Amino acid sequence: MTTVYLNGDFIPANQAKISPMDRGFLFGDGIYEVIPSYNGRCVGFTPHLERMQNGLALLSIDAKLTAKNWQQITDKLIADNRAELGDNLGIYLHVSRGTDTKRGHAFPANITPTIFAFAFAIPAQPIADKAKTTGFHVVTGQDLRWQRCNIKSTSLLGNVLHYQQGADQGGQEILLFDEQGNLTEGASVNVFIIKDGVIATPPLSNKILPGITRQILLAILAKHTDIEIQQREISQAEVLAADEIWLTSSSKEVAPVLTVNNQPVGSGQVDDLWLVAQQLFSAHKFDY
Ligand code: PDD
């Protein structure tokens, strides 16, 4: 039985219970975070925590936990669950506004946030090896989510519906485009395109999640290569004409896309710049 954290206690997963009057359940009124760890070491713990604290501040939720408290919760979940779940663990952190006695949209006064965290097994660390990397097949669609996609909200219905829209078309992700036809992100990933040796990714805005893998990859590439990197609007035509497309997320790290709408991306193979990017990411990710 795995151990989870709920409101100050570490308890067996099957004993974790919250009220159905919790605003996380009724309204999706909360913030979450997913942090990868390998052999007990987290990737990007500090930036993940900063993003969560920013999100909580935007929602006026005060979880009353310091960075040190969150570190202790994370470390204990890894220590307590490693024997059962293995050495590759995702840590899920979740704060909802809390449980009320009635259902009303306004923030209740004096409500105590519900804090929940658990560990789950994730795939082994991605390997920078062209032969061992299978690559993704994706489709495209119009981004129909809300205008605050920069908040890592537990209200993920828009993302869930888009992910399923992609899956229903045989895709392993869906690349989303805004009303102007510009790339935003995938249902659960950020997106990079490469053309003629130049890397481009959409700029941070309320249209995309500020992905931590995106942030770390940009920092690593800037520090360790001379490759030109552009953060700018990217049209659908550019995506379809790209030499390479990469998806980034905490569990995927840098994942190459092989086809978009059943059409090959560039050579249709896992490509050279991807190899450079994933090699550098693997080498330096624990520095962040
Ligand atoms: N998904 N964009 C969206 C909409 C996401 O949900 C995610 C992450 C990302 C990548 O962010 P990061 O690099 O910080 O993992 C981009 C997580 C893992 C999830 O919901 O499970």
Side-chain angles (χ1 to χ4, degrees), residues 32 51 152 159 185 187-190 209 211-213 248-250:
Y32 79 104
R51 180 172 66 184
K152 199 163 173 67
N159 300 65
E185 60 181 342
S188 67
V189 291
N190 291 113
L209 186 79
I212 303 305
T213 318
T248 63
S249 81
S250 291

Side-chain angles (χ1 to χ4, degrees), residues 1-219:
M1 174 65 59
T2 60
T3 298
V4 304
Y5 172 91
L6 182 63
N7 297 328
D9 298 317
F10 291 90
I11 53 177
N14 64 356
Q15 287 176 25
K17 295 190 172 42
I18 62 162
S19 165
M21 295 307 283
D22 194 278
R23 288 177 64 98
F25 185 69
L26 293 177
F27 294 114
D29 185 356
I31 292 289
Y32 79 104
E33 206 42 73
V34 178
I35 308 174
S37 75
Y38 303 101
N39 303 311
R41 292 167 81 195
C42 287
V43 178
F45 182 83
T46 301
H48 274 285
L49 204 66
E50 278 171 11
R51 180 172 66 184
M52 188 170 71
Q53 304 283 29
N54 289 342
L56 290 169
L58 285 168
L59 269 54
S60 305
I61 295 176
D62 182 2
K64 296 198 166 60
L65 290 181
T66 63
K68 197 169 172 208
N69 297 146
W70 285 112
Q71 180 83 64
Q72 286 164 341
I73 292 168
T74 301
D75 289 347
K76 186 158 167 58
L77 285 175
I78 292 172
D80 287 3
N81 290 295
R82 233 169 124 175
E84 183 169 340
L85 295 176
D87 292 329
N88 309 316
L89 292 176
I91 300 299
Y92 178 91
L93 308 176
H94 175 128
V95 181
S96 84
R97 193 174 305 281
T99 298
D100 199 4
T101 50
K102 57 187 186 321
R103 180 181 178 277
H105 287 63
F107 299 171
N110 305 320
I111 189 166
T112 305
T114 300
I115 303 174
F116 176 53
F118 66 91
F120 60 101
I122 57 174
Q125 305 185 53
I127 309 169
D129 181 332
K130 281 192 191 180
K132 292 193 178 126
T133 298
T134 48
F136 276 68
H137 300 277
V138 307
V139 298
T140 56
Q142 193 190 336
D143 195 338
L144 298 177
R145 300 172 303 162
W146 69 331
Q147 294 175 33
R148 304 189 73 178
C149 291
N150 53 317
I151 302 176
K152 199 163 173 67
S153 160
T154 57
S155 313
L156 281 172
L157 186 56
N159 300 65
V160 166
L161 291 177
H162 276 316
Y163 193 92
Q164 190 60 40
Q165 178 189 353
D168 288 345
Q169 296 173 59
Q172 296 162 302
E173 251 297 351
I174 181 165
L175 307 185
L176 298 169
F177 295 87
D178 65 17
E179 283 180 342
Q180 287 72 45
N182 290 321
L183 176 66
T184 56
E185 60 181 342
S188 67
V189 291
N190 291 113
V191 185
F192 288 70
I193 71 160
I194 291 80
K195 186 71 181 177
D196 299 330
V198 176
I199 300 174
T201 193
L204 293 184
S205 73
N206 61 358
K207 292 179 185 173
I208 68 169
L209 186 79
I212 303 305
T213 318
R214 172 191 182 281
Q215 180 182 327
I216 293 175
L217 179 63
L218 287 171

Side-chain angles (χ1 to χ4, degrees), residues 38 43-44 125 216 220 253 280-288:
Y38 303 101
V43 178
Q125 305 185 53
I216 293 175
I220 289 175
E253 298 191 351
L280 286 170
F281 196 88
S282 297
H284 300 288
K285 64 186 176 188
F286 291 113
D287 301 347
Y288 293 85

